[in-house]
Amino acid sequence: MPSADSRSSYKTLQKFSPDYAPCTITKYESESTGMSVVVVDREGPKVNGFFTLATEIHDDSGAPHTLEHLCFMGSKSYRYKGVLDKLATRAYSNTNAWTATDHTAYTLDTAGWEGFAQILPVYLEHVIVPTLTDAGCYTEVHHIDGTGNDAGVVYSEMQGVQNTQGELMDLRAKRLLYPNTVGFRYETGGMMEQLRVLTADRIREFHRDMYQPKNLCLVIVGDVDHADLLRILDSFESTIIDDIPRPDAPFKRPWVESDSAQPLTNSILEIVEFPEEDETSGEITVSFFGPSCDDLLHATALNVLLVYLAGSSASMLENTLVEKEQVASAVYYSVEVRPKMLVQFALSSVATERLHDVEKRFFEVLTDAATNQLDMTYLKDCIVRERRLIKNSVETSSTPFSEPIIYDFLFAKRDGSMLKADLLNLDEFDELVSWPEDKWRQLIQGWFLDAHHVTILGKPSAELSKKLKSDEEARIEAQRERLGPAGLERLEKKLADAKAENDRDIPKDLLAKFPVPGTESIHFITTMTARSGAAKKLGHLNNKVQKLVDDDDTSSPLFIHFEHIQSNFAHVSLVIGTEAVPVALRPLLTIYLENMFTSPIERDGVRLEFEQVVMELERDTVDYGIGSGSTLGNSEVLCMRLSVEVEKYALAIQWLKEIIWNGIFDLEVGTRIASTTVRLLADVPEAKRSGSSMLSAIEEMTDSAPASISRARSTLVNALYLKGVRYHLQNDPELIIRQLEEIRAALFQFSNFRAVIVANVEKLTNPVSSWRDFTAKLDTSKALKPLDKRLSRVSEAGLKPGKFAYIVPMSTVDSSFALAVGKGPSSLRDPRLPALMVALSYLDAVEGPMWVAVRGTGLAYGTSFSRHTDSGQISYNVYRSPNAFKAFQTGRSVLEDFVSGKTEFDRFALEGAISSIVLSIANSQATMASAASMSFIRQVVRELPDNWNDMVLESVRKVKVEEIRAVIKELLLPVLTAGTANLFVTCAPVMEGELMKGFQGMGFQPEVRTLAWFQDDYGMNVPEGEDMDEDEEASDLEEENESESGLS
């Protein structure tokens, strides 16, 4: 790290190195403008920036959120929409932003310091001195199009969330927790009715009040050149000093100098209805105020206590309410960092008729915790594990400390003294270990039992669903009548004029001033591979780690792949093939995997109940679990993983052995499996409320074969299959027990196993021979089976797309979503791949062709192409649109114009597309652990050479325009064409007719279906008339009636 220039206006306030993390934290403050900068120096290819402003507003206008969008529309010196993102793309960078209740953060995600440094002053000018034009507000925030429908990027975003269960419950809770004078009461994203009347002047006023350098903190994480950084900031400040309020002008610091939340004077319980045709289950949230956020000791104690109460299936609330009494599918908790911290418990999938009873039971369990003896052994284990988790997170996160730094800026002293006190060490955990039981019991009593609270019972309402639909239809119709043909025509012209103003061409000479940076400052992480057993068939390696492995044991036949990194932890994974599991049993994997780490085991002839198993796992590990192998590049295999401190490596392997072969499935466990089944079934209605998730689900059910693991474990299979499991557990539990044993026998065979170890191998004791006991009783004579391939589990519909199109109206969504899937390359060695990579990067770029045509005109919150080489498919997704057909049609027109030559390819954007590919490679290996995972994926899953990334970059740099045009014509245009793509749409019921008409006009023949139509029970059916309650029956009948109505 070069030293900072002593002549800079930025003075060092703090500089320290946490004693548990390999980084240095430095805080600067400008004596000129008051702007703050905090740098977290760490090695790696990425530099990440979080440019954070404390933002406070006392209304639901959405000014903070809309301003976040509008800052990207141009600035004082760069008065062109999209110029920031076009420049960022060329500099291996990506920009984004978010609006929270208490702050707005603008992000700069870059490969290497050189690119970050080039974009930084341009980005900061967009934040501090944006253009904020009327035209930008009109297209980006809200407008009425020529058909009388409301649109706009921000409006579309909020339309998709305003009437959801979570948003409705959260907003009501905020209204009850905070008075009118406290900003935490309000919806900073904006309510639709207020966005429709929000003015550009109101947004400008908010910017003038809040977007001052003294209210801005730059949080930068990565390999940073400090001298260069301060030089850039000094220069930047000199360019804006005349555009900002005087630095010494009075300024009321948001949140710190505002009215603060007062203690509640009484507890409140309210029912909030949310739109949902399935009225069987609702939600509960219970909110409390906690300690002050500047009280580090008690804030840490609060987190530990929440883990103890609701952190796992062995914790008190989860174990009682979910595992034993089965009155909720889960108990979650969250903590909002605020001057007075906010704690919220959430109970999901509670039977609607039992909402009141379960809320009472929740407090009874808390009362038991405060009055009965605490399990101090488990509580101290929670303390030790929380400390361990923090140490692990600073290794595995690409942006460690960014969040606490942001909250320190928002609420703490600006000199950084509290930041240093909070992050320098973890001594607070040492003090907590010494606390007596009475102290903890008093905290439960004081924070939760004696304190007033706000409870929201979320109740599903089919009637509200119908009302919202009819009210929206009536509002739009009245709007059309009020405007009349002439008014609509006038608005269409106004929109066209605004688009024309926004979309002025960016001068080429402006872009040319910003060359593509070199890659010298991108410091990619390298790992060292070693192999043992069957892994050696991939080739002999000659390095120091391989010698360590060979010196330990060369006789073990188990496939073991080592990735050597500098770490205090060992990440042990077992990749497991699934081909041997009978297809009819693959949906049962949902239950099997859910219980894998939460079932009793037998140890030395003694039965350990699942609570003891979970407590010991949490004591010994940092993380554990089993699920899809998608994180290791293959969604059709399973991955079982444990992360431990490096000295516990052998213990992790012992845990694998015990969990796999000593797990107990008997009739007593059958009761627990029944509990899991009920809980998973209770989650189905909530999962089916998301338009985006269900879009993916209906595509999965269509384009994947029943053999697919991801299809077999999906929501639309669980909806039926788990009912069958529940029925058989009630009537023939031994059948399910036998099937679970059959799954275990099919999965856990030597020929299915590939072990992956990511650790500092030099610190491992017996890296290979520690596995000897694991394989001792296995038949090691059978050859290792090939990894399961996603392509082999694509359905006939997926292999030959073009015959299917579906529209699924959903009462729980207010917008629309679309997904089209066509054929694509199925090999990474396909000669078309480099051109396809450049084409996708070019088209999907922020402020690229698709962005400008769709998001920039308010047709959708976003669109994107995805390449699925493992399944030989390409997809096009329209996310959260007021009219998915228009967004889809516009996307197709963009492609057609490139194919015909009407639209030329831009040289600067092509350079940016290649830079984005460089960034994607850096993203995939941003940390030691992720670089190690990518090494395994490249070598084992994809069977690619060591220099594959270099080969890819060399290939994409050679791609010609003619090749890009060819892949758009041959591969991408068919994805948006009837007859060569399958089409899937989810939407608000009010949108069904218009979407049907639009897509029919493009040649598609959509069928209107319900979600229930896509469900599959895999033969685990329930005898007719059995195991269906009246609410389910009524809901299914209503869905079918609506489907018939839609088809007519």
Side-chain angles (χ1 to χ4, degrees), residues 896-937:
E896 289 174 332
D897 288 348
F898 278 113
V899 170
S900 68
K902 181 179 179 180
T903 303
E904 295 294 331
F905 289 92
D906 180 85
R907 173 174 68 88
F908 296 104
L910 285 171
E911 291 175 347
I914 294 168
S915 294
S916 292
I917 295 171
V918 175
L919 176 60
S920 70
I921 293 173
N923 285 337
S924 69
Q925 46 189 286
T927 66
M928 289 280 188
S930 61
S933 295
M934 286 307 301
S935 179
F936 171 79
I937 291 170

Side-chain angles (χ1 to χ4, degrees), residues 268-281:
I268 304 170
L269 183 150
E270 283 199 8
I271 295 174
V272 171
E273 291 188 339
F274 60 89
E276 171 61 270
E277 290 173 1
D278 184 343
E279 296 184 332
T280 57
S281 66

Side-chain angles (χ1 to χ4, degrees), residues 455-506:
T455 296
I456 302 295
L457 305 183
K459 183 180 178 182
S461 170
E463 188 61 36
L464 178 61
S465 176
K466 294 174 184 176
K467 183 178 186 302
L468 288 173
K469 175 183 176 181
S470 61
D471 287 353
E472 181 68 0
E473 289 174 337
R475 188 189 67 80
I476 292 174
E477 187 57 35
Q479 183 166 270
R480 288 170 177 157
E481 290 181 7
R482 184 182 73 253
L483 293 167
L488 291 174
E489 185 177 344
R490 188 167 56 252
L491 289 176
E492 185 72 18
K493 183 180 184 305
K494 182 178 180 180
L495 179 59
D497 291 345
K499 290 178 182 177
E501 181 179 338
N502 291 337
D503 297 337
R504 289 176 300 138
D505 289 339
I506 301 171

Side-chain angles (χ1 to χ4, degrees), residues 521-538:
S521 69
I522 306 175
H523 302 145
F524 288 102
I525 296 171
T526 57
T527 64
M528 192 174 294
T529 302
R531 296 167 180 154
S532 178
K536 287 189 173 181
K537 294 181 180 179
L538 296 176

Side-chain angles (χ1 to χ4, degrees), residues 695 698-705 794-807 817-823 872-878 888 971-985 999 1003-1007 1014:
L695 184 72
I698 62 176
E699 186 276 329
E700 180 92 63
M701 297 303 293
T702 305
D703 288 343
S704 294
V794 175
S795 69
E796 185 71 13
L799 292 171
K800 298 177 181 178
K803 299 177 182 178
F804 299 93
Y806 299 108
I807 294 177
F817 305 81
L819 177 65
V821 181
K823 290 185 69 65
Q873 296 170 316
I874 297 173
S875 62
Y876 176 69
N877 187 290
V878 176
F888 192 91
L971 294 176
L972 299 185
L973 194 54
V975 179
L976 284 85
T977 302
T980 51
N982 293 333
L983 174 69
F984 308 90
V985 178
F999 282 112
F1004 291 95
Q1005 297 300 319
E1007 301 175 46
F1014 292 90

Side-chain angles (χ1 to χ4, degrees), residues 243-478:
D243 300 298
I244 61 174
R246 287 193 347 266
D248 60 351
F251 178 74
K252 182 179 179 182
R253 186 177 170 189
W255 308 114
V256 174
E257 297 175 3
S258 305
D259 288 353
S260 57
Q262 298 302 309
L264 295 170
T265 57
N266 59 291
S267 292
I268 304 170
L269 183 150
E270 283 199 8
I271 295 174
V272 171
E273 291 188 339
F274 60 89
E276 171 61 270
E277 290 173 1
D278 184 343
E279 296 184 332
T280 57
S281 66
E283 312 288 320
I284 300 173
T285 61
V286 188
S287 302
F288 305 86
F289 287 122
S292 170
C293 69
D294 60 8
D295 184 346
L296 176 62
L297 183 64
H298 282 90
T300 305
L302 173 64
N303 284 321
V304 169
L305 195 55
L306 290 170
V307 171
Y308 175 84
L309 291 171
S312 74
S313 57
S315 61
M316 184 169 293
L317 288 166
E318 181 88 4
N319 187 256
T320 303
L321 300 176
V322 178
E323 299 294 341
K324 294 177 179 176
E325 299 180 4
Q326 302 172 32
V327 296
S329 67
V331 179
Y332 304 104
Y333 67 84
S334 62
V335 178
E336 294 284 348
V337 179
R338 295 174 179 175
K340 199 71 172 175
M341 298 175 76
L342 183 68
V343 183
Q344 186 176 89
F345 290 96
L347 286 73
S348 62
S349 302
V350 177
T352 305
E353 68 276 10
R354 299 197 64 191
L355 288 169
H356 287 276
D357 294 338
V358 174
E359 191 264 353
K360 292 177 183 176
R361 183 65 183 132
F362 169 83
F363 280 99
E364 289 173 357
V365 178
L366 276 181
T367 301
D368 289 344
T371 54
N372 297 334
Q373 185 174 2
L374 299 179
D375 185 341
M376 290 304 295
T377 300
Y378 178 50
L379 197 149
K380 289 182 178 180
D381 285 345
C382 290
I383 297 170
V384 174
R385 190 166 194 259
E386 283 299 292
R387 180 175 187 154
R388 198 161 59 229
L389 285 169
I390 292 174
K391 290 183 176 180
N392 181 61
S393 69
V394 298
E395 283 191 11
T396 55
S397 170
S398 60
T399 56
F401 301 118
S402 57
E403 188 172 303
I405 291 170
I406 288 173
Y407 285 118
D408 178 85
F409 171 73
L410 294 179
F411 305 129
K413 295 178 181 178
R414 288 286 171 86
D415 63 4
S417 58
M418 291 182 62
L419 180 69
K420 181 175 181 179
D422 286 357
L423 300 183
L424 183 61
N425 55 53
L426 300 175
D427 290 352
E428 63 272 16
F429 288 95
D430 295 331
E431 183 170 346
L432 293 182
V433 169
S434 68
W435 278 12
E437 180 182 350
D438 284 348
K439 179 82 170 177
W440 293 100
R441 190 182 289 111
Q442 288 167 10
L443 293 182
I444 297 174
Q445 190 74 39
W447 282 335
F448 303 130
L449 296 179
D450 292 342
H452 295 302
H453 60 272
V454 169
T455 296
I456 302 295
L457 305 183
K459 183 180 178 182
S461 170
E463 188 61 36
L464 178 61
S465 176
K466 294 174 184 176
K467 183 178 186 302
L468 288 173
K469 175 183 176 181
S470 61
D471 287 353
E472 181 68 0
E473 289 174 337
R475 188 189 67 80
I476 292 174
E477 187 57 35

Side-chain angles (χ1 to χ4, degrees), residues 57-64 175 180 183 186-188 194 198 202:
I57 197 166
H58 292 172
D59 60 43
D60 299 315
S61 66
R175 298 289 203 242
N180 294 343
Y186 299 98
E187 173 49 77
T188 52
Q194 296 211 28
L198 179 63
R202 176 68 183 97

Side-chain angles (χ1 to χ4, degrees), residues 52 341 433 445 573 654 724 926 1031 1044:
T52 306
M341 298 175 76
V433 169
Q445 190 74 39
S573 298
Q654 177 62 26
D1031 288 337
E1044 291 170 11

